[in-house]
Amino acid sequence: MKLPIITYPDKVLKTHSRPVTVFDDELHTFLDNMFETMMDNNGIGLAAIQVARPLRVLILCIPDEEGNQLKENTREIINPVIHNPQGNTIYQEGCLSVPGFYEDIERFESLVLHYQDRHGNEVRLEANELLAIAIQHEMDHLEGKLFIERLSYNRRKKFEKEYKRALKEKKQS
Ligand code: Y12
Ligand code: CO
């Protein structure tokens, strides 16, 4: 089932998400619904709060070298913790909750992630490149933070102006 995606400036996106403690069928159905929702909207990552569930859950499906998003490459990441972040990198990020807006954001280049899978098993993942960037973007959502909050004062101002105008135009059409 596809779920509605919450978009900026909805305050729900500011919620701090809580850890998952029960790894049951209800969680598995929710993860399946998150996957369907992300793929239907051409996303590569989605956090639970973006579909109004304040849980420390995110999913990622990074495209392969040919640009294909394969279901078997999907990662369901629950209760993640970042270890050993290293280096810096800049990438033009977008977010399904901030449609139509993309900006360069600085992140750590690589990291080690500890998380649980849908059954509660502990997983250790070494991440770099787009995977590491997407993990950091989605983990910001768990703290109620959007990538636009990482923009400089001037770029944020420009964003607010452009986004407001786009929302107004959408309303009128
Ligand atoms: C780098 C890049 C992205 C992330 C986080 C995950 N972000 C996304 O998955 C964003 C997807 C997205 C898709 C859009 O739709 C289409 O392109 C058709 C989109 O455009 C509109 O909504 C108009 C915006 C974002 C982390 C690191
Ligand atoms: Co996002």
Side-chain angles (χ1 to χ4, degrees), residues 7 38 40-47 50 59-62 69 91-103 105 107 129-138 141 147:
T7 55
M38 178 180 73
D40 189 57
N41 288 281
N42 298 304
I44 62 165
L46 187 71
Q50 294 179 272
I59 60 165
L60 298 170
C61 188
I62 304 296
Q69 282 179 284
Y91 192 88
Q92 192 173 55
E93 297 185 14
C95 178
L96 289 172
S97 293
V98 191
F101 188 77
Y102 307 85
E103 261 290 2
I105 303 291
R107 303 278 187 188
E129 300 179 338
L130 186 54
L131 177 60
I133 294 164
I135 286 169
Q136 292 168 80
H137 175 111
E138 299 308 334
H141 280 295
F147 77 112

Side-chain angles (χ1 to χ4, degrees), residues 79-87 108-116 122-128 132 135-136 139:
N79 301 333
V81 180
I82 289 177
H83 296 265
N84 201 23
Q86 293 201 336
F108 296 116
E109 196 171 29
S110 68
L111 54 88
V112 176
L113 194 72
H114 290 192
Y115 67 92
Q116 286 170 286
E122 302 284 344
V123 182
R124 180 185 182 278
L125 169 68
E126 287 181 17
N128 55 30
I135 286 169
Q136 292 168 80
M139 282 184 69

Side-chain angles (χ1 to χ4, degrees), residues 146 150 156 160:
L146 293 173
R150 294 188 175 275
R156 177 69 187 265
E160 293 295 347

